[in-house]
Amino acid sequence: MNRINEFNNFHSGFVTLIGRPNVGKSTLMNHFIGEKISIVSNKPQTTRNKIRSILTGEGYQIIFIDTPGLHTPATKLGNFMVKSANSALNEADAVIYMVEPREKIHEGDIAIIKSLAGVRSPVFLAVNKVDTVDKPRLLKIIDEYSAAYKFSGIVPLSALTGENTKALLDIICTMLPEGPMYFPEDQITDQPERQITAEIIREKALQYLQEEIPHGLAVDITSMKPRSEDPDTIVDIRATIFCEKESHKAIIIGKKGEMLKKIGTAARRDIQRLLGSPVYLELWVKVKKNWRDNDFLLKNFGYSEPKH
């Protein structure tokens, strides 16, 4: 019998991760899956699109949806990111709302809590980075959020160290509805390899570049193909990093090309782990002024508006 269509005693569902930028949503999702599916950076608004990853265990399958951090948008790209996050709330069987351990609820979190009023699915609060706060302060933070919204459950955890993440996973598993195995049990994401490859390159650029540049970066995979049918063959990848200013282009390339080489070397290591093959990576840098407000370029880079 095809297990993908088997319902009996099998539970499955979609779980959306929401929260303000840089609270650890991607780190938590990657921890659950055991692989880097969503890129991670200490810079806000790293995740730009909904990223789905798949966790299959004994008798269950969870499709996690990592969303862009909810923020006040200043560009069309920002508008797309916020709409993408909000639309994911309507797809979910459960919502994990992640926050940092602040004693006073941030005004951005107040806005998110208001948006949860129309959500019919159970909402669980995950207070992340508990390794950075003492227990009395943590309890006070939990009390603050409990007074602001009636959560289905509250779990303090550390996505980075893994502390208490199993407790959250166990809670999610208990509320999953009976359903099919939507994806084969060995599949961990529905993202195409080209898209993940582009995101890995952008992650390395975020890691090495100055604060004002990352929001204006996009990566396009021009070509990606193996040299032969041999499974151990080299995969040739040509990618273009787009930025918005000539001055940014010069910084990305660096003196004698050193910065671009550093980005490429770091990206190639992760891409080789992703593909399981040796990789030859060729990077180019081009300027596209104001691309974050250009509908055509946004669509070309994969940031098209959610369909209703």
Side-chain angles (χ1 to χ4, degrees):
M1 182 180 291
N2 185 351
R3 288 189 65 200
I4 293 179
N5 295 317
E6 185 180 350
F7 280 70
N8 292 338
N9 299 318
F10 194 84
H11 292 77
S12 60
F14 294 79
V15 177
T16 294
L17 289 155
I18 65 164
R20 292 176 55 246
N22 206 29
V23 294
K25 300 183 297 295
S26 298
T27 302
L28 180 64
M29 188 174 77
N30 290 341
H31 172 78
F32 281 143
I33 302 306
E35 296 281 351
K36 182 182 286 186
I37 301 301
S38 190
I39 67 173
V40 177
S41 168
N42 60 3
K43 296 180 174 68
Q45 301 173 34
T46 299
T47 302
R48 287 178 173 169
N49 213 327
K50 289 182 292 189
I51 308 294
R52 292 180 181 87
S53 61
I54 304 143
L55 177 64
T56 305
E58 186 63 39
Y60 71 88
Q61 184 173 81
I62 304 171
I63 298 90
F64 289 103
I65 306 171
D66 184 17
T67 62
L70 290 165
H71 63 286
T72 302
T75 63
K76 287 185 177 180
L77 173 61
N79 286 328
F80 162 78
M81 290 164 65
V82 171
K83 287 182 180 179
S84 180
N86 285 329
S87 70
L89 291 174
N90 299 319
E91 301 175 11
D93 294 293
V95 175
I96 299 173
Y97 168 36
M98 288 193 72
V99 299
E100 293 181 302
R102 296 171 176 261
E103 286 189 27
K104 185 177 180 181
I105 300 178
H106 189 279
E107 61 183 16
D109 284 304
I110 292 172
I112 294 173
I113 289 170
K114 288 180 180 177
S115 72
L116 292 174
V119 176
R120 296 181 180 178
S121 304
V123 179
F124 299 91
L125 180 70
V127 184
N128 193 23
K129 306 179 184 179
V130 294
D131 48 322
T132 66
V133 63
D134 58 41
K135 189 172 181 180
R137 187 176 161 206
L138 178 61
L139 292 174
K140 185 177 179 181
I141 292 164
I142 290 173
D143 287 343
E144 287 281 331
Y145 277 96
S146 296
Y149 186 87
K150 189 175 182 180
F151 293 99
S152 298
I154 298 177
V155 181
L157 54 82
S158 171
L160 188 62
T161 67
E163 181 183 351
N164 223 28
T165 53
K166 187 178 184 302
L168 177 60
L169 185 61
D170 289 344
I171 291 172
I172 295 298
C173 287
T174 60
M175 51 68 52
L176 287 175
E178 279 199 3
M181 185 182 288
Y182 291 99
F183 297 94
E185 58 188 331
D186 60 347
Q187 186 172 340
I188 59 173
T189 183
D190 67 348
Q191 308 302 304
E193 287 181 344
R194 288 174 73 103
Q195 182 176 334
I196 299 176
T197 297
E199 286 291 271
I200 287 172
I201 295 168
R202 187 167 68 89
E203 178 190 53
K204 302 312 175 187
L206 289 173
Q207 180 179 337
Y208 291 117
L209 293 172
Q210 298 175 13
E211 196 69 36
E212 73 271 16
I213 298 178
H215 296 317
L217 289 183
V219 177
D220 179 59
I221 304 298
T222 310
S223 63
M224 181 174 173
K225 56 185 179 181
R227 291 184 183 177
S228 72
E229 294 182 2
D230 186 332
D232 296 322
T233 191
I234 294 173
V235 179
D236 289 309
I237 301 172
R238 182 185 174 101
T240 303
I241 299 174
F242 289 94
C243 59
E244 293 185 309
K245 298 179 181 180
E246 289 290 344
S247 60
H248 289 175
K249 178 180 178 181
I251 294 170
I252 296 167
I253 294 173
K255 188 177 181 180
K256 297 182 179 180
E258 285 301 315
M259 178 57 74
L260 192 61
K261 182 179 179 181
K262 187 185 290 186
I263 293 168
T265 299
R268 188 176 66 251
R269 285 195 294 265
D270 279 9
I271 295 167
Q272 287 180 160
R273 282 195 289 267
L274 170 71
L275 302 180
S277 302
V279 166
Y280 175 77
L281 177 62
E282 186 177 358
L283 294 179
W284 296 81
V285 184
K286 291 184 179 180
V287 176
K288 289 287 185 183
K289 293 182 180 180
N290 301 318
W291 69 262
R292 286 179 291 171
D293 279 314
N294 185 305
D295 290 327
F296 174 78
L297 290 175
L298 286 172
K299 185 176 181 180
N300 190 53
F301 293 148
Y303 307 126
S304 53
E305 294 288 348
K307 295 180 180 180
H308 298 287

